[in-house]
């Protein structure tokens, strides 16, 4: 199992499913992991801290302040390779989603730099309530990973969704994550993200609504999986400090084109996520353009096509992914772009889909190659990024 030697924090909340925490701890220890357990005060009503301390072979933390000692939540958050919260109650989900720091469990969450997994457990109506749905979405938008609830008979006697995932499934999810963590090792990925701005004069420009969020999510996901990433990032308020990412700021489509062409020969893979302007003003005025009577005319010239150039020059060992944002005839236009620009895969999305594309923390995509179309539901952009990278690994498992 891929958990040997891993440092895992287990956060336990006040749910009837808390008894399964003993099985989770035992499974982690058996797999060779080192475990520290945090409990909310209400969790101690369902399972004794002594039980989990005995199984984990370490003291259980139930408070930031215990007697005359202080449990260093920052130090613990830095110690772990992963933080698992199971079971996660509706109350704790709300606190995590909004930073309400009233327990050691939440304090460590806010300090943790490791991946965070949460496995909810609650009654059917609580799980389906819009408040819970929004809190789960919000947590996922922060990059936290949901281990989805199971279905069956619940403590209330109702039958439906809300059961804590089985301990074996939870352990398998963690093991799969650590197995995935190095599947892009030795890859050098060129990634474009964000908008480009095409200057009209010293104060005005032509642009688009891209924030770069999808591309940054891809860069961070790829780096987390072991890749060295060169991120060509257009003007945006977003940024990333993740290790393994070299960020190169660009402004215009020409800037991005030249940077991409220069770096492409040294890369194994390319993911072209940026919303690059197709046209730029033929002439950039040296002074601010003054308002005049009547209509204004701006002559535009076509920008060079980054995807087309990289597709034309890619070698047999390189894999190239493009994006297609379409408002109509999406599949037809995406397939045409895939073939015309010699891409290996294209990601189709639409601004007409609620919660997708520009300005959202979520996206809904289809992956299209020469043989098939794979569709996905609406997901947080980090989860979408991993879906795309999973396909890259499946199509090109080794260099």
């Amino acid at each position: 199992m891929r958990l040997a030697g891993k440092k895992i924090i287990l956060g336990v909340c006040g749910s009837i499913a808390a008894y399964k925490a003993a099985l989770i701890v035992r499974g982690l220890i058996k797999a060779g992991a080192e475990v520290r357990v945090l409990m909310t005060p209400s969790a101690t009503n369902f399972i004794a801290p002594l039980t989990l301390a005995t199984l984990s072979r370490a003291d259980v933390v139930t408070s930031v302040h215990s007697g005359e000692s202080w449990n260093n939540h920052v130090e613990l958050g830095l110690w772990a390779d992963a933080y698992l919260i199971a079971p996660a109650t509706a109350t704790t989900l709300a606190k995590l989603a909004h930073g309400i720091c009233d327990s050691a469990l939440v304090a460590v969450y806010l300090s943790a730099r490791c991946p965070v997994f949460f496995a909810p457990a609650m009654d059917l109506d609580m799980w389906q309530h819009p408040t819970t749905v929004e809190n789960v979405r919000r947590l996922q938008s922060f990059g936290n990973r949901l281990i989805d609830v199971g279905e069956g008979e619940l403590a209330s006697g109702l039958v439906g969704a809300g059961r804590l995932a089985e301990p074996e499934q939870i352990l398998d999810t963690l093991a799969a994550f650590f197995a995935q963590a190095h599947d892009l090792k030795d890859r050098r990925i060129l990634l474009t993200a964000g908008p480009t701005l095409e200057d009209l004069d010293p104060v005005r420009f032509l642009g688009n609504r891209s924030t770069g969020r999808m591309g940054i999510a891809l860069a961070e996901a790829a780096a987390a999986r072991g890749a060295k990433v060169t991120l060509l990032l257009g003007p945006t308020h977003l940024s990333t400090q993740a290790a393994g990412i070299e960020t190169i700021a660009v402004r215009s489509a020409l800037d991005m084109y030249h940077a991409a062409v220069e770096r492409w020969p040294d890369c194994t893979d390319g993911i072209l996520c940026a919303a690059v302007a197709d046209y730029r003003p033929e002439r950039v005025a040296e002074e601010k353009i003054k308002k005049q009577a009547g209509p204004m005319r701006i002559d535009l010239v076509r920008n060079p096509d980054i995807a087309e150039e990289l597709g034309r020059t890619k070698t047999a060992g390189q894999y190239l992914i493009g994006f297609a944002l379409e408002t109509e005839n999406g599949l037809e236009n995406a397939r045409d772009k895939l073939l015309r620009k010699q891409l290996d895969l294209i990601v189709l999305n639409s601004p007409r889909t609620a919660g997708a594309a520009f300005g959202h923390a979520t996206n809904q995509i289809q992956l299209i190659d020469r043989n098939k179309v794979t569709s996905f539901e609406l997901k947080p952009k980090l989860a979408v990024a991993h879906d795309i990278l999973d396909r890259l690994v499946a199509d090109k498992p080794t260099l």
Side-chain angles (χ1 to χ4, degrees), residues 161-182:
R163 289 169 59 98
L164 178 68
E166 292 303 319
E168 294 81 3
Q169 179 188 346
I170 292 172
L171 296 177
D172 286 345
T173 299
L174 288 176
F177 167 77
F178 286 115
Q180 180 191 67
H182 300 290

Side-chain angles (χ1 to χ4, degrees), residues 5 34 41 78 93 116 122 166 200 244 277 283 323 328 382 385 394:
E34 187 177 350
L78 297 176
L93 291 179
V116 176
M122 64 196 72
E166 292 303 319
L200 290 168
R283 175 180 171 272
F323 271 67
E328 60 181 354
L382 185 62

Side-chain angles (χ1 to χ4, degrees), residues 2-8 28 32-35 79 81-82 178 181-182:
R2 302 272 183 165
L3 296 172
K6 299 302 181 184
K7 299 174 180 177
I8 310 295
L28 288 169
E34 187 177 350
V35 183
W79 168 84
D81 295 309
F178 286 115
H182 300 290

Side-chain angles (χ1 to χ4, degrees), residues 48-89:
L50 179 60
T51 300
L52 298 180
T54 302
L55 292 172
S56 66
R57 304 165 192 166
D59 292 338
V60 170
V61 176
T62 58
S63 171
V64 172
H65 182 269
S66 302
E68 296 182 357
S69 64
W70 177 58
N71 295 306
N72 192 329
H73 60 280
V74 174
E75 183 178 297
L76 191 55
L78 297 176
W79 168 84
D81 295 309
Y83 186 3
L84 167 66
I85 303 172
T89 61

Side-chain angles (χ1 to χ4, degrees), residues 194-354:
T196 63
L197 305 184
E198 310 301 323
D199 290 326
L200 290 168
D201 62 22
V203 297
R204 301 184 181 94
F205 57 81
L206 301 177
N208 58 61
R209 295 185 175 91
S210 173
T211 63
R213 188 187 300 272
M214 185 70 248
I216 289 173
L218 275 161
E220 292 180 341
R225 294 169 72 156
K228 286 182 170 37
V229 179
T230 298
L231 175 63
L232 308 183
L233 184 60
T236 174
H237 67 285
L238 300 177
S239 63
T240 178
Q241 304 299 322
I245 301 174
E246 177 194 13
T247 301
I248 298 171
V250 297
R251 179 173 176 83
S252 68
L254 281 176
D255 293 338
M256 188 172 284
Y257 173 83
H258 292 305
V261 169
E262 178 184 348
R263 289 162 178 81
W264 177 230
D266 296 325
C267 294
T268 59
D269 311 279
I271 305 177
L272 307 180
C273 186
V276 183
D278 293 323
Y279 296 89
R280 69 183 186 276
E282 183 177 34
R283 175 180 171 272
V284 179
E286 294 183 0
E287 305 295 340
K288 179 183 174 183
I289 300 171
K290 296 296 185 181
K291 181 168 58 177
Q292 300 174 355
M296 177 182 180
R297 172 173 172 164
I298 301 173
D299 292 321
L300 303 177
V301 295
R302 184 173 175 177
N303 278 318
D305 193 305
I306 297 173
E308 190 173 85
E309 179 62 17
L310 269 54
R312 183 185 70 81
T313 59
K314 73 183 173 78
T315 65
Q318 290 178 305
Y319 189 95
L320 187 59
I321 301 174
F323 271 67
L325 181 70
E326 302 291 345
T327 58
E328 60 181 354
N329 303 321
L331 284 174
E332 179 183 344
N333 290 334
R335 283 195 179 103
D336 173 70
K337 185 174 181 179
L338 174 82
L339 298 173
R340 183 164 40 84
K341 301 188 180 183
Q342 302 181 62
L343 304 173
D344 297 290
L345 184 72
I346 195 161
V347 182
L348 172 63
N349 60 166
S350 171
R352 301 283 173 84
T353 302

